[in-house]
Amino acid sequence: MSRMEAETQELAAESPRMAMLREFWAYFSENRGAVIGLVVFVVICLVAIFANVIAPHSASMQFRDSLLVPPVWQEGGSWQFILGTDPVGRDILSRLIYGSRFSLFVGCVVVAGALVVGIIVGLLAGFFGGWFDTLVMRVMDIILAFPSLLLALALVAILGPSLTNAMIAIAIVQQPHYVRLTRAAVMAEKQRDYVTAARVVGASPLRLMVVTILPNSLSPLIVQAALSFSNAILDAAALGFLGMGAQPPTPEWGTMLAEAREFILRAWWVVTFPGLAILVTVLAINLVGDGLRDALDPKLKRS
Amino acid sequence: MPLLHIENLSVTFQTASGPFLAVDSVDFSVDAGERLAIVGESGSGKSVAMLAVMGLLPPTATVTADHMAFDGQDLRQLSRRARRRVVGGDIAMIFQEPMSSLNPCFTVGFQINEALSAHTDLTRSQRRERSVELLRSVGIPEPERRLSAFPHQLSGGMSQRVMIAMATACQPRLLIADEPTTALDVTIQAQILDLLVDLQKEHGMALILITHDMGVVAETAQRVVVQYAGQQVERQDVIGLFDAPHHPYTSALLDALPDRATGDRLPAIRGVVPGQGDRPNGCLFNPRCPYADDTCRTVVPPRQPAALGEALCHYPLNRAEQAA
Amino acid sequence: MLRFLFVRIGLLVPTFIGITIAAFGFVRLLPGDPVLLLAGEHGVSPERHAELMHQLGFDRPIWVQYFDFLWSVLQGDLGRSLVTHRPVLAEFSTLFPATLELSVCAIIIATVVGIPIGVIAAMKRGTWVDQSVMGAALVGYSMPIFWWGLLLIIFFSGVLHWTPVSGRISLLYYFPAHTGFMLIDSLLSGQKGAFVSAVSHLVLPAIVLATIPLAVIARQTRSAMLEVLGEDYVRTARAKGLSQARVVGLHALRNALIPVVTTIGLQVGVMMAGAILTETIFSWPGVGKWMVDSIFRRDYPAVQGGLLMIAVIIMFVNLIVDLLYGLINPRIRHTR
């Protein structure tokens, strides 16, 4: 009986949600750039998942007799190393393929961490207000007063250079955005009639926040998540490049660039491809982010 | 020769869901010094037709006309430069929302001065003098001080007065007023209308007044065009129109006036103006017309003779009176 | 307006205190003994340790330590570098003009190129011009600038040999630093070729640093222009018979600039982060590179002082932007 009830409820809840999704997809798919970005992003995800199947070589295998081999289309290149090799004879293509795992992992962990903590803090600040709200917002202001990369660098200096610590640092630097967004959304939604209605019905504050307010504040959070996903990848690569992120011989793209720096004038390919990989990934995510923003923003929908 | 002469003007908008015919082959002619009112509900294409004359429509609009002349000059043939000299100089326009029609970043004086320097050869000090004079003529107190005011420091009525001063700055021969009083308080409305008519008489300019308010029409216009869903459904002088409306739509509009209503309920016109998707066959008014029959629902109505208000209708009203 | 100014300045006080707390906390959060970290010594005897503790004030309650720190910061004392033993503030002040010169050039490039691009894209909305310009802007926005810098070095220095790889000016030239700005000093020196050398050193890093702000400014200008072009007052301006250039370039742009100015101000923080990477790639002797080097050298007083100074500078830039916003927006200027 109660299961039946739950199922009917679920069905009733499902259909408008599906309709919303369909409407969202209609707007999203209108944007050609966003669709291309999504396709590229999915491909990168697949590459990351199946890296050990796709990659022609291991990421750390050093072919001692083929150092700095140029890519296949250039004189001296071979099909064995399609994008050439680095100064210690590792296959660049394979390292790039394995490297996609790190970048996507960084993006996911940072966004998940910053999002969860940011939403909780923002909800509490927005809902309870008062001195707690003031304190939280002051702390966020101070975090935002520092350039993000500089603060991340300082945090890594405290925590020690590693990929994990870089992720923690970037997540800390990014979460004020989520706190602010969530808080602003809560403040706005708090005034709405349906929240008052829920309160009148006697819903508990916590349930009220999570069940009624949050789903209605999602749009800006989703857009921010896409934005900070790409920022996280960029910042992690930058930290890796400065020697404060993933440490060699990890095939992280930024770290690969740092290792290749001294060879830039001799072997362009060791520098070009890792950066291109970062650019393409970040660009794809930003295209998706722009598409999400346009599709979720009701103000733009009408035009 | 009429001052403004337009024949068979149509405007089509390119929209995401296909083309939309906003103005459907309308004709106008306005003589110098005449006051013409264009009446219709929102969405009837009355503003769009005038914006087409001004050349102010966005690039998504396609304007076609058999004839479109101002003072004998074919507006369609003019170069952009020459047309800009006409627009703003000989033809001026004021808009519905005075508060947002003035640029918030520039002072009143700057905005009036700009119109003067675009169309006249006055020197800087002459322009300033003229600006003060203009503000005084539209009834703004302390005009010297107001020149340095920013639009957000003015009320709606004041803003509209400034707009009128700006529009009349270069002594236009035709002033188009697009719902000039709609956004204003009722008490201010009458003042602004009086001001417009006074200025019109004083300068001998022609005035086209776009409105949805039959009361405004009665107070100001000499001749009236009734527009519905992009078409002109009736054209008459104001006395004839109020005495004997020939198109059922005109009649319904008049019945909706509070002081003409009989009985204790104000009659309303059922339904809304057809939009892009729901254009009916035959007469466009047939779904809302109490007299509509099968002919109205299938056959496009003919244009009646001038004696019947040039009504676009199969069965024009008040025919008996004409016969008698 | 004056009251607006005072309110804004008053708001800086809590932010400033927060920044000092952050900088103060930074050293105490570092792994290891903060006393030794700040003194730059290790393996010391217990007596020496106690002496250092007393010297640095670590034997006093934490809030006293903080107020001591705040007091010396307010007097301009940010401690001494462990590496050069010079006052941190002096180090910072000698390096900062290099960063400022680079940043100012970058923000000029970003503004002078970004705003017209955004305006053109808005005017040509939906056409291939709009799409390609905005596509390029998104690429710029997504650019890992440390890689972008390397690419430019490969091409302009490696292939074309047009520009030098690093530094601010060729070693051939030496002249006293009057202003600290190489472009101005090289002109003042009157030495032939010095100015050209300074420009050729500056151009690549400035382009790299300008890339992301340029993209952001172009995107923001476009959307602000699109919004403004639909406003009634733009129609009024057209109805006055004004030229297209005047309608767009004056009436529309003047209004669109209001949000764009805020965006440009926000880019200053982005630029400071970008300067860290750009200066590292081009060996540009500014505060960004100095910060990275100091972190590597474990020169913690320098890192602490640098963090503080950079945050304070950004704080003041934000203040200036706020005031500028009030100045260009009549609605704010005239409300008391």
Side-chain angles (χ1 to χ4, degrees), chain A residues 76-238:
Chain A
S78 82
W79 278 105
Q80 195 188 351
F81 310 110
I82 296 173
L83 298 181
T85 60
D86 70 2
V88 291
R90 291 172 297 196
D91 179 39
I92 290 180
L93 178 64
S94 307
R95 286 177 71 72
L96 289 181
I97 289 172
Y98 280 102
S100 62
R101 288 185 166 176
F102 292 96
S103 285
L104 293 182
F105 180 65
V106 167
C108 291
V109 171
V110 166
V111 169
L115 193 74
V116 170
V117 176
I119 286 179
I120 292 174
V121 175
L123 273 178
L124 294 176
F127 204 81
F128 292 117
W131 65 267
F132 180 72
D133 181 39
T134 315
L135 180 73
V136 167
M137 294 324 283
R138 283 287 135 233
V139 172
M140 296 304 142
D141 281 351
I142 290 158
I143 295 181
L144 288 173
F146 293 93
S148 61
L149 186 67
L150 184 63
L151 193 59
L153 260 178
L155 288 170
V156 171
I158 296 174
L159 301 166
S162 77
L163 190 62
T164 317
N165 292 341
M167 288 192 298
I168 295 171
I170 297 168
I172 291 176
V173 171
Q174 293 205 341
Q175 61 119 7
H177 298 287
Y178 294 98
V179 174
R180 284 188 157 188
L181 276 178
T182 315
R183 175 178 171 276
V186 171
M187 300 292 247
E189 297 286 327
K190 247 168 98 175
Q191 317 295 329
R192 301 275 185 90
D193 290 342
Y194 72 91
V195 178
T196 320
R199 207 191 293 253
V200 170
V201 168
S204 81
L206 190 76
R207 209 185 125 73
L208 202 65
M209 281 193 284
V210 179
V211 180
T212 58
I213 296 180
L214 198 54
N216 288 291
S217 326
L218 269 185
S219 297
L221 285 173
I222 291 173
V223 175
Q224 177 63 35
L227 205 79
S228 68
F229 197 104
S230 59
N231 273 337
I233 292 178
L234 272 181
D235 280 358

Side-chain angles (χ1 to χ4, degrees), chain C residues 87-309:
Chain C
V88 169
L89 190 62
E91 291 256 288
F92 188 90
S93 317
T94 34
L95 295 173
F96 185 65
T99 302
L100 188 62
E101 182 175 40
L102 183 59
S103 309
V104 167
C105 289
I107 210 81
I108 290 174
I109 293 175
T111 311
V112 168
V113 180
I115 290 181
I117 280 183
V119 171
I120 290 168
M123 298 303 300
K124 306 261 177 192
R125 180 185 196 179
T127 63
W128 66 270
V129 178
D130 178 26
Q131 282 167 1
S132 40
V133 165
M134 283 303 111
L138 195 65
V139 172
Y141 180 66
S142 310
M143 189 63 83
I145 58 166
F146 43 99
W147 173 69
W148 176 227
L150 295 178
L151 274 195
L152 291 180
I153 291 177
I154 292 180
F155 190 69
F156 287 102
S157 308
V159 179
L160 296 175
H161 300 287
W162 282 3
T163 54
V165 176
S166 64
R168 291 181 77 188
I169 194 154
S170 163
L171 293 173
L172 292 172
Y173 305 102
Y174 179 79
F175 40 80
H178 292 295
T179 60
F181 300 110
M182 210 45 98
L183 290 180
I184 299 172
D185 286 346
S186 63
L187 276 179
L188 289 178
S189 76
Q191 292 177 45
K192 232 180 120 194
F195 181 69
V196 175
S197 172
V199 170
S200 69
H201 279 80
L202 181 68
V203 66
L204 286 192
I207 289 174
V208 168
L209 192 53
T211 303
I212 290 179
L214 195 160
V216 174
I217 290 170
R219 280 159 62 94
Q220 168 75 55
T221 305
R222 177 182 179 269
S223 63
M225 278 301 281
L226 283 182
E227 197 155 303
V228 165
L229 284 173
E231 295 283 349
D232 288 348
Y233 53 77
V234 171
R235 189 180 56 189
T236 307
R238 288 217 166 93
K240 281 198 244 176
L242 303 176
S243 67
Q244 175 82 349
R246 200 172 164 93
V247 172
V248 174
L250 190 74
H251 282 263
L253 188 60
R254 179 66 176 72
N255 284 277
L257 277 184
I258 295 171
V260 171
V261 164
T262 314
T263 307
I264 295 174
L266 289 176
Q267 292 312 302
V268 173
V270 176
M271 295 255 271
M272 288 311 290
I276 295 169
L277 293 164
T278 312
E279 291 179 2
T280 305
I281 300 165
F282 290 95
S283 304
W284 189 265
V287 291
K289 185 172 185 317
W290 174 68
M291 286 295 286
V292 176
D293 292 345
S294 298
I295 289 176
F296 273 109
R297 290 191 297 234
R298 301 182 184 282
D299 187 351
Y300 291 115
V303 177
Q304 185 185 42
L307 273 177
L308 187 78
M309 285 305 295

Side-chain angles (χ1 to χ4, degrees), chain B residues 4 53-54 70 75 86-93 172-174 176, chain C residues 239:
Chain B
L4 179 71
V53 172
M54 297 287 285
F70 178 79
L75 288 174
V86 175
V87 167
D90 288 328
I91 314 178
M93 188 162 178
R173 287 190 283 162
L174 170 63
I176 303 172

Side-chain angles (χ1 to χ4, degrees), chain B residues 31-52:
Chain B
D31 291 324
E34 192 187 18
R35 292 191 302 272
L36 172 74
I38 306 176
V39 193
E41 289 166 86
S42 41
S44 58
K46 46 198 196 316
S47 305
V48 175
M50 284 304 115
L51 290 173

Side-chain angles (χ1 to χ4, degrees), chain B residues 74-85:
Chain B
D74 189 345
L75 288 174
R76 295 167 305 165
Q77 302 290 328
L78 289 181
S79 69
R80 279 178 155 204
R81 266 186 99 85
R83 183 148 185 182
R84 280 206 302 270
R85 219 169 302 137

